[in-house]
């Protein structure tokens, strides 16, 4: 509609643009002219109206110290209220309210051009210039190692009384299941229609009842057993039994694309059950078979499950082989790939690493490679080290993550902290070197070093994915806006003036006289200079007019 309107009336739009540009151009000159006229009027009326004597008598002689105490106290109160509002707005929205209003409404009038955060060029790793990703391109991914709701998330809720998953996160999971299992089917079976409704249900008990209803309609509804395994099973063993039931149903009746998706999902969750129950070699075999059988489903990131299981087996050569395949410049990165690569290189030198010795003799080639790998990983996701070094407390990972965000850092550290602890000295090397990354990255973050510039949309998405009791890690740390600092200083200064005027009224009166005399000194100097250039009769005639 907007395009049709613009195309149908180009002359009116052109006139509006010209008028707007003329107003923007003339605004600055109008301000200067108005300011000059005010100065001239003050000078003309200075002598006839005896402004200096009037100001002195009113502000310094007539008004009592109580008035100044009330004046400074009121200004301190108002600036304090503004400070509280500005601080609340900054904590909630990450920007200053006054600054936002100024930029939104005053900047166009002054001829400013809004800076777009979604444009601009920056170099990628291979040197090619590509556009910076916009907020809408901050894609949320399914967590490859997400926990089981009934056997893990719900048990956490029973113990702590806190909900580890947000509604936004669970709603994304419902959409995933609905699309992955039952979407785009030409003719929905009755049980499929029930399951479509079941995935959308917000109440867990309603979802479970719908799953049982689907089983009553068809005892071979594999998706219903998947839902029961995810949400009703209170132990991993029980979940595994239900997944095996779903797999036995589907082995001979899966045929369509959606059925294959369900089959892949069931086999993957069975492998994760085996990993959680300590049958790690069996889990590794199931994951490898799944990757060979369905090589085109790389978007599911099954290799991240495989990397974690191989690290638990301490099969570091196999881990390196998987990394060689997936740590490719053309493939999307993840914290698992970057930090696992750093762990392997750190493990080779960390047992003998000493910061004192390294400062004396310098870093060896292997140590330099390990430090560079750590810097690379930290640049990709700067939130991870604080969790690995236990400087921030961990929570249960969400079902969806944002790459390079705090949600991905929580998910990675939750499963991989034990692997870093097992490698002797690896955490010590990380502790000594990770902060050096920020000296390499250009500031402001308009360009990356090895990766794209860090996206500015991660904080908003992470706040939606992570529970409210978790303090979201923000990078880069936002500096306090100027108006918060200004109102804080104004509030403190006026409060101090009110207190000093109340305690020492005579002394503050002397200071006030000295302040006003200093304030009006330039104006008096300007008036004297004007008198020397202009004849007094000229100004006398003007005053008579």
């Amino acid at each position: 509609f907007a395009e049709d309107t613009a195309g149908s009336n180009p002359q009116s739009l052109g006139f509006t643009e010209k008028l707007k540009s003329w107003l923007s151009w003339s605004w600055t000159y109008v301000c200067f002219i108005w300011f000059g006229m005010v100065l001239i009027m003050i000078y003309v009326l200075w002598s006839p109206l005896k402004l200096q004597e009037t100001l002195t008598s009113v502000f310094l002689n007539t008004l009592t110290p109580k008035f100044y105490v009330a004046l400074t106290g009121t200004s301190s109160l108002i600036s304090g209220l503004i400070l509280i509002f500005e601080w609340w707005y900054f904590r909630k929205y990450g920007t200053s309210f006054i600054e936002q209003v100024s930029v939104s409404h005053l900047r166009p009038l002054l001829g400013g051009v809004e800076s777009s955060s979604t444009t601009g060029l920056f170099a990628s790793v291979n040197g090619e210039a590509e556009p910076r990703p916009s907020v809408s391109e901050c894609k949320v991914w399914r967590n490859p190692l997400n926990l089981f709701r009934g056997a893990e998330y719900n048990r956490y809720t029973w113990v702590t009384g806190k909900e580890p998953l947000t509604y936004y996160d669970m709603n994304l999971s419902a959409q995933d299941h609905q699309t992955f299992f039952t979407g785009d089917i030409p003719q929905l079976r009755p049980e499929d229609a029930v399951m479509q409704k079941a995935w959308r249900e917000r109440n867990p008990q309603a979802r479970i009842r719908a799953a049982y209803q689907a089983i009553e309609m068809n005892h071979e509804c594999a998706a219903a057993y998947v839902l029961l395994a995810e949400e009703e099973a209170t132990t991993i063993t029980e979940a595994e039994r239900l997944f095996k039931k779903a797999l036995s149903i589907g082995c001979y009746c899966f045929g369509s694309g959606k059925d294959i998706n369900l089959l892949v999902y069931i086999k993957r969750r069975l492998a994760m059950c085996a990993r959680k129950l300590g049958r790690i070699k069996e889990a590794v075999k199931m994951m490898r078979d799944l990757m060979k059988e369905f090589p085109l489903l790389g978007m599911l990131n099954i290799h991240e499950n495989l990397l974690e299981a191989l690290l638990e087996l301490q099969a570091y050569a196999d881990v390196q082989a998987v990394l060689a395949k997936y740590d490719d410049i053309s493939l999307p990165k993840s914290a698992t790939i970057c930090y696992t690569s750093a762990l392997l290189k750190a493990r080779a030198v960390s047992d003998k690493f000493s910061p004192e010795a390294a400062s004396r003799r310098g870093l060896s080639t292997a140590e330099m490679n390990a430090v560079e790998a750590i810097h690379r990983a930290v640049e990709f996701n700067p939130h991870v080290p604080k969790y690995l070094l236990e400087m921030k407390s961990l929570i249960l990972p969400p079902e969806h993550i944002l790459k390079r965000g705090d949600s991905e850092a929580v998910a990675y550290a939750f499963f991989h902290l034990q692997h870093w602890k097992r490698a002797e000295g690896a955490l010590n090397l990380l502790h000594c070197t990770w902060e050096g990354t920020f000296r390499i990255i250009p500031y402001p973050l308009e360009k990356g070093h090895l990766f794209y510039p860090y996206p500015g949309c991660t904080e908003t998405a992470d706040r939606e994915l992570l529970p409210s009791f978790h303090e979201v890690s923000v990078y880069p740390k936002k500096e306090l806006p100027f108006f918060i600092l200004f109102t804080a200083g104004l509030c403190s200064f006026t409060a101090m003036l009110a207190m000093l005027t109340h305690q020492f009224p005579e002394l503050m009166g002397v200071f006030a006289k000295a302040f006003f005399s200093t304030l009006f000194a330039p104006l008096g100097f300007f008036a004297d200079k004007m008198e020397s250039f202009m004849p007094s009769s000229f100004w006398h005639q003007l005053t008579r007019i």
Side-chain angles (χ1 to χ4, degrees):
F1 179 78
E3 293 177 357
D4 295 340
T5 306
S8 61
N9 199 359
Q11 294 181 352
S12 61
L13 287 178
F15 174 76
T16 304
E17 292 297 329
K18 289 181 180 179
L19 180 61
K20 189 175 181 180
S21 62
W22 182 84
L23 289 174
S24 300
W25 172 81
S26 62
W27 184 264
T28 306
Y29 300 98
V30 170
C31 291
F32 278 115
I33 294 172
W34 176 83
F35 185 68
M37 292 176 64
V38 169
L39 289 179
I40 293 174
M41 183 168 293
I42 291 175
Y43 172 72
V44 169
L45 300 177
W46 187 264
S47 297
L49 299 182
K50 300 180 180 180
L51 290 181
Q52 185 172 5
E53 298 176 5
T54 303
L55 292 173
T56 303
S57 61
V58 171
F59 285 100
L60 300 180
N61 300 328
T62 307
L63 300 176
T64 63
K66 290 184 179 181
F67 172 80
Y68 294 108
V69 173
L71 178 65
T72 52
T74 304
S75 61
S76 177
L77 176 63
I78 294 174
S79 57
L81 293 175
I82 296 174
L83 172 63
I84 293 172
F85 176 76
E86 277 283 299
W87 178 256
W88 169 82
Y89 196 87
F90 174 72
R91 293 283 294 178
K92 187 171 184 180
Y93 300 105
T95 185
S96 165
F97 175 77
I98 300 176
E99 181 180 346
Q100 186 179 23
V101 170
S102 302
V103 171
S104 302
H105 299 283
L106 298 182
R107 191 174 183 181
L109 294 177
L110 296 175
V113 180
E114 295 185 4
S115 59
S116 175
S117 60
T118 60
T119 57
L121 297 176
F122 56 91
S124 61
V125 181
N126 56 6
E128 297 178 357
E130 297 184 7
R132 177 192 291 261
S134 64
V135 173
S136 61
E137 292 174 341
C138 284
K139 182 180 178 180
V140 174
W141 297 74
R142 181 83 175 176
N143 183 2
L145 287 84
N146 65 306
L147 304 178
F148 293 84
R149 285 193 188 175
E152 293 172 306
Y153 287 121
N154 287 349
R155 293 178 68 179
Y156 176 84
T157 304
W158 297 336
V159 174
T160 63
K162 298 178 180 178
E163 290 290 344
L165 297 176
T166 63
Y167 175 70
Y168 175 73
D169 192 15
M170 292 189 290
N171 188 47
L172 289 177
S173 298
Q175 294 176 14
D176 292 343
H177 292 147
Q178 186 177 354
T179 304
F180 206 58
F181 299 153
T182 58
D184 299 332
I185 296 178
Q187 292 183 349
L188 280 178
R189 295 165 294 190
E191 62 272 20
D192 292 331
V194 172
M195 289 307 301
Q196 268 197 340
K197 183 181 178 182
W199 297 122
R200 293 196 299 266
E201 287 286 353
R202 186 171 182 178
N203 189 344
Q205 295 303 318
R207 290 195 293 269
I208 293 173
R209 286 195 299 269
Y212 278 115
Q213 181 184 353
I215 292 174
E216 290 177 1
M217 299 173 71
N218 183 358
H219 292 287
E220 296 182 349
C221 181
Y225 285 102
V226 168
L227 190 148
L228 294 177
E230 291 284 353
E231 305 212 18
E232 189 186 36
T234 56
T235 63
I236 300 298
T237 304
E238 186 180 355
E240 184 182 38
R241 179 184 63 80
L242 289 169
F243 276 121
K244 286 182 177 179
K245 175 69 173 177
L247 183 63
S248 63
I249 291 173
C251 280
Y252 60 88
C253 63
F254 285 158
S256 66
K258 295 300 175 182
D259 290 336
I260 292 176
N261 291 341
L262 185 58
L263 175 65
V264 173
Y265 184 89
I266 293 172
K267 287 187 174 182
R268 179 183 190 166
R269 295 304 260 177
L270 279 172
M272 295 175 69
C273 288
R275 163 67 183 91
K276 293 176 183 292
L277 294 173
R279 306 195 307 271
I280 305 173
K281 291 185 178 179
E282 178 185 345
V284 168
K285 183 179 183 305
M286 294 173 68
M287 293 172 190
R288 289 188 185 277
D289 292 342
L290 195 57
M291 293 168 66
K292 290 179 182 178
E293 188 176 358
F294 303 100
L296 299 180
L297 293 179
M299 61 180 179
L300 299 178
N301 297 324
I302 303 175
H303 60 275
E304 296 197 9
N305 300 81
L306 179 60
L307 283 172
E308 196 280 328
L310 291 173
L311 286 172
E312 182 64 22
L313 288 175
Q314 301 185 41
Y316 297 111
D318 293 336
V319 172
Q320 186 61 56
V322 175
L323 285 177
K325 181 178 180 181
Y326 288 95
D327 193 5
D328 186 83
I329 195 171
S330 61
L331 296 177
K333 298 292 183 294
S334 67
T336 300
I337 290 177
C338 294
Y339 277 89
T340 301
S341 177
L343 174 60
L344 293 188
K345 293 181 179 179
R347 176 181 164 272
V349 298
S350 59
D351 56 337
K352 299 177 181 178
F353 177 77
S354 170
E356 295 79 12
S359 61
R360 288 196 307 268
R361 60 173 171 78
L363 294 174
S364 64
T365 303
E367 290 173 339
M368 184 64 71
N369 291 336
V371 171
E372 289 177 353
I374 289 175
H375 287 175
R376 171 179 180 260
V378 173
E379 181 183 352
F380 182 82
N381 193 318
H383 310 285
V384 172
K386 287 189 176 182
Y387 294 108
L388 293 180
L389 298 172
E390 299 181 86
M391 299 166 65
K392 283 194 69 177
S393 58
L394 273 173
I395 60 171
L396 294 185
E399 293 183 336
H400 289 80
I401 60 174
L402 181 69
K403 289 191 175 183
R404 307 187 75 178
D406 191 33
S407 52
E408 184 190 37
V410 169
Y412 172 80
F414 184 86
F415 293 101
H416 289 262
L417 176 58
Q418 56 181 332
H419 307 314
W420 279 82
K421 287 184 174 180
R422 188 180 294 123
E424 183 182 356
L427 289 175
N428 178 46
L429 180 60
L430 177 68
H431 174 72
C432 296
T433 57
W434 74 279
E435 291 182 326
T437 309
F438 306 116
R439 292 191 293 269
I440 301 174
I441 303 175
Y443 187 84
L445 303 177
E446 296 170 352
K447 293 183 178 180
H449 179 58
L450 297 174
F451 298 101
Y452 298 145
Y454 192 80
C457 58
T458 57
E459 180 185 359
T460 303
D462 281 333
R463 291 189 188 279
E464 295 285 341
L465 292 171
L466 296 170
S468 58
F469 58 83
H470 173 72
E471 183 181 354
V472 175
S473 177
V474 179
Y475 175 81
K477 284 292 183 182
K478 293 185 177 180
E479 299 178 355
L480 288 177
F482 165 76
F483 287 105
I484 289 183
L485 300 175
F486 175 75
T487 51
L490 181 62
C491 177
S492 304
F493 179 70
T494 51
M496 182 184 66
L497 282 181
M499 183 183 66
L500 291 176
T501 306
H502 178 71
Q503 294 293 331
F504 312 103
E506 295 181 359
L507 182 61
M508 290 302 294
V510 174
F511 278 113
K513 290 180 181 179
F515 172 75
F516 279 110
S517 61
T518 306
L519 181 65
F520 291 123
L523 198 58
F525 177 77
F526 174 75
D528 293 340
K529 289 295 183 182
M530 290 294 293
E531 284 286 352
S532 63
F533 285 110
M534 296 291 182
S536 57
S537 58
F538 175 75
W539 297 115
H540 179 68
Q541 292 298 327
L542 283 179
T543 54
R544 290 186 63 184
I545 294 174

